[in-house]
């Protein structure tokens, strides 16, 4: 007797009884079943072009044959033995490869984690141990993870602190120089000077620089809107850190692993960090992260200060070794640059056609597209929700950030044909919005960050 397939709605209703609201940011009522390259398919058989890449954690695409093979072969040999006690052949091969790729000179070491959150927690641990200082400085708009340490470092949603305080002590937030903070008619130089003055205010009033262990920044903020730190501002912060013995740390969890056309987003600035967190696409979405840094900092703690039972296990590190091979052999850095330029050209053309398309930021295949009210220039969350939902109906997965920003991060293996089809869907949605043909879904107020 043939079994009837269940619908997305049926599976979600059953899951809802056992799944907490806090564990998912709501967007679309689909249950994903499988994927290949830049396409994902739900349990009802609907295909979607993936413009999110699982929050930039599948830069090599879905079910890449080489990565699948590496996982299968390793799983048949050994799935798990804790790296907390013994090395395994895959992790032992991966560690020096990552150290060699690190954008820092001199001896480099690393530690494993299960997620980007773990890696950012490790930054707190090692920076405090190395400097003997307590304070950590991070930025508004940042997303660093959901463990208590990384969550305290973040400032992208009130629900990451609401009802959960007190948070980790010793963390100080400063304003991120996002483009929305820039005044009308303000030059880039004046904007940088003004924002750096705000950065300096805590140090001049209540935060002794000689008690600060680390400054942690996303060179290109991800969940904060896909926005690059102004290079002159980054240089000022870096020089301040160096002048005051402060560890300069960068979060590459979202923006690393080739996403921006370089291995690491900090490489767009000509600056060497002291510590760096990596995750998401490190193992093509398998649960693995790393915190990489200068040896003298990494040697400031002894075991078991940063060991996890499953972090760096044979299967996840096999996936990561295969991921590095795919990125290198398929020239995905160059591909991100080339297709990113094509995407930027498309969105600039849309900007010229539609007055509700505001700022377009593209760094490789990594973009934030502001949707604004044409009259006021302010962000238009209602229009953004209508657009992303219509694009989804047309057959592509895209989400919003900060309410009014379309997040464009397809897998780096996306074909030009898929990209062109996605552009056609986006243009159709834009055209329909301009014609007043789009309406918001019934649950619009529930969707997004």
């Amino acid at each position: 007797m043939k079994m009837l397939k269940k619908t997305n709605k049926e599976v979600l209703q059953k899951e809802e009884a056992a799944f907490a609201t806090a564990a998912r940011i709501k967007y679309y009522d689909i249950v994903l079943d499988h994927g290949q390259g830049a396409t994902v398919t739900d349990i009802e058989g609907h295909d979607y072009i993936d413009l999110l890449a699982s929050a930039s954690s599948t830069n090599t695409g879905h079910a890449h044959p080489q990565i699948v093979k590496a996982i299968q072969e390793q799983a048949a040999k050994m799935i798990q033995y804790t790296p907390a006690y013994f090395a395994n052949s895959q992790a032992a091969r991966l560690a020096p490869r990552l150290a060699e790729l690190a954008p820092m000179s001199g001896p480099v070491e690393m530690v494993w984690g299960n997620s980007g959150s773990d890696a950012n927690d490790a930054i707190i641990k090692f920076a405090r141990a190395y400097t003997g200082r307590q304070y950590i400085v991070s930025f508004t708009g940042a997303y660093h993870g959901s463990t208590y340490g990384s969550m305290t470092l973040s400032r992208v949603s009130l629900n990451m602190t609401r009802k959960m305080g007190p948070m980790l002590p010793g963390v100080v937030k400063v304003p991120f120089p996002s483009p929305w903070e820039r005044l009308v008619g303000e030059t880039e130089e004046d904007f940088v000077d003004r924002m750096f003055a705000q950065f300096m205010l805590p140090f001049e009033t209540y935060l002794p620089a000689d008690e600060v262990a680390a400054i942690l920044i996303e060179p290109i903020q991800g969940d904060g809107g896909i926005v690059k730190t102004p290079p002159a501002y980054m240089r000022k912060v870096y020089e301040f850190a160096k002048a005051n013995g402060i560890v300069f740390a960068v979060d590459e969890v979202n923006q690393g692993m080739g996403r921006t056309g370089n291995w690491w987003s900090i490489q767009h600035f000509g600056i060497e960090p002291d510590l760096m967190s990596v995750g998401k696409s490190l193992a093509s979405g398998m649960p693995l992260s790393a915190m990489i840094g200068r040896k003298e900092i990494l040697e400031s703690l002894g075991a078991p200060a940063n060991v996890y039972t499953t972090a760096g296990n044979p299967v996840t590190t096999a996936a990561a070794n295969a991921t590095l091979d795919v990125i290198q052999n398929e020239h995905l850095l160059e591909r991100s640059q080339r297709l990113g330029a094509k995407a930027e050209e498309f969105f600039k053309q849309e900007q010229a056609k539609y007055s509700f398309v505001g700022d377009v930021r593209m760094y490789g295949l990594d973009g934030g597209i502001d949707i604004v009210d044409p009259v006021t220039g302010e962000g238009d969350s209602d229009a953004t929700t209508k657009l992303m939902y219509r694009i989804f109906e047309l057959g592509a997965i895209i989400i919003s950030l900060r309410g009014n920003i379309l997040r464009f991060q397809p897998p780096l293996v996306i074909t030009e044909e898929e990209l062109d089809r996605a552009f056609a869907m986006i243009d159709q949605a834009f055209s329909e919005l301009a014609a007043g043909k789009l309406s918001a879904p019934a649950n619009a107020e529930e969707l997004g960050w």
Side-chain angles (χ1 to χ4, degrees), residues 410-425:
L412 306 184
V413 297
I414 190 169
T415 67
E416 292 201 50
E417 186 271 335
E418 288 171 322
L419 205 54
D420 288 337
R421 284 197 287 124
F423 290 159
M425 295 174 194

Side-chain angles (χ1 to χ4, degrees), residues 258-329:
R259 170 53 59 188
T260 69
N262 286 330
W263 274 106
W264 318 112
S265 62
I266 191 62
Q267 291 174 314
H268 292 279
F269 297 85
I271 287 173
E272 290 190 7
D274 298 309
L275 298 177
M276 177 176 76
S277 55
V278 185
K280 287 187 183 284
S281 280
L282 172 59
S284 291
M286 293 284 281
L288 178 69
S289 67
M291 196 279 282
I292 309 169
R294 301 191 188 282
K295 180 175 181 176
E296 64 267 26
I297 303 176
L298 271 291
E299 287 298 320
S300 60
L301 286 173
N306 200 82
V307 298
Y308 302 91
T309 302
T310 59
N313 75 54
V315 174
T316 60
T317 52
N321 275 313
T323 297
L324 296 186
D325 292 341
V326 168
I327 292 174
Q328 292 169 329
N329 296 340

Side-chain angles (χ1 to χ4, degrees), residues 160-279:
M160 294 182 71
T161 56
R162 197 189 305 275
K163 302 180 183 180
M164 294 181 287
M167 307 304 286
L168 187 73
V171 175
V172 176
K173 301 294 188 307
V174 293
F176 184 80
S178 63
W180 311 287
E181 301 294 331
R182 190 164 171 174
L183 303 176
V184 176
E186 190 173 33
T187 66
E188 177 82 3
E189 183 178 3
D190 287 344
F191 173 60
V192 166
D193 288 344
R194 181 169 62 82
M195 295 305 297
F196 187 68
Q198 292 186 36
F199 168 85
M200 286 298 300
L201 186 59
F203 295 99
E204 295 167 347
T205 54
Y206 67 89
L207 181 63
D210 59 3
E211 295 183 24
V212 173
I215 296 169
L216 174 63
I217 190 169
E218 294 171 274
I220 298 174
Q221 280 198 344
D223 294 310
I226 316 292
V227 57
K228 183 180 179 181
T229 307
Y233 178 91
M234 181 73 90
R235 175 63 61 176
K236 286 176 179 287
V237 171
Y238 175 78
E239 290 175 351
F240 175 81
K242 294 291 102 180
N244 289 278
I246 300 170
V247 171
F248 181 77
V250 296
D251 182 331
E252 293 281 354
V253 176
N254 187 313
Q255 300 291 306
M257 299 299 296
R259 170 53 59 188
T260 69
N262 286 330
W263 274 106
W264 318 112
S265 62
I266 191 62
Q267 291 174 314
H268 292 279
F269 297 85
I271 287 173
E272 290 190 7
D274 298 309
L275 298 177
M276 177 176 76
S277 55
V278 185

